[in-house]
Every structure is written in structure tokens, then in C-alpha cells.
Amino acid sequence: MIRSAADILADVNHADDPDPVPQPEPNQPAPARPALDPADRYVLGLVADGHTYAAIGRQIGKGKSATTMQLARLYKRLGARNAANAVAIAIRAGILPAYNPGARQQ
């Protein structure tokens, strides 16, 4: 028999259970993120703009392998799983500005 997610949660979160599974608080602030130096913010901005690792390497004067390693360390510091996750984390943490498609370009 396949059980629904609601049934499983009901079993896990018994009202009489002294240690129920904690639920996230709404509107909690984002967890603290490490401060990034200007070079890391620049590279992360290039990632956000959709540049390939090879193109980023050319921009910063490094080879593709060195750039890949730099980005891997950057993603680890941010706690990101991949480039898209790193950009999302950076936007939420205020490291990168959020993209607003309705905003007028100066």
C-alpha cells in the first residue's frame, strides 16, 4: 500500500509527541553568508550573466581549469550545489543585485 505524504507527516508529527519535527518559521531571515571579495563578486556576476567557465577564465586571465577550481571553492563557500544555486544564494543574500526585467536600463 502506498501512503500519501500527508499520512506520513501525520504519523511523524503526533500532537502528543514530546519531540515533534520542527517546522520552519515563516519569513525567517536568510542564513548568514560569507563575505566575498570583489574578485569573487565579479566572477559570480559573470556566472549570473551566463558566461561559460572558459569565457570567465579569459576575462580574469586564468585558464579554464583554474577558473573551474575557483568557482568550485566559491560555490562551496556559499553552500551552493551549482552555478544557478550560487547566483540565487548571492541574490538572496544581497551579494548580487536582483534582476528586475521591468526596470529601465540607464
Side-chain angles (χ1 to χ4, degrees):
M1 176 173 96
I2 298 175
R3 298 175 61 199
S4 71
D7 291 338
I8 294 169
L9 282 175
D11 287 345
V12 171
N13 276 330
H14 292 295
D16 59 341
D17 189 356
D19 244 351
V21 175
Q23 300 298 316
E25 292 292 325
N27 299 324
Q28 266 187 321
R33 301 288 177 203
L36 301 180
D37 63 32
D40 284 336
R41 285 194 303 275
Y42 176 72
V43 169
L44 195 54
L46 293 174
V47 171
D49 287 341
H51 293 276
T52 64
Y53 285 12
I56 292 169
R58 285 191 299 273
Q59 287 280 330
I60 62 174
K62 291 184 178 180
K64 184 180 177 206
S65 295
T67 303
T68 301
M69 292 303 297
Q70 179 178 351
L71 284 165
R73 286 189 298 271
L74 178 58
Y75 297 164
K76 186 175 182 176
R77 268 187 277 155
L78 289 170
R81 295 179 302 277
N82 54 40
N85 188 219
V87 170
I89 289 168
I91 289 171
R92 288 184 193 122
I95 297 168
L96 288 177
Y99 174 69
N100 184 350
R104 294 181 62 184
Q105 298 291 325
Q106 298 288 338

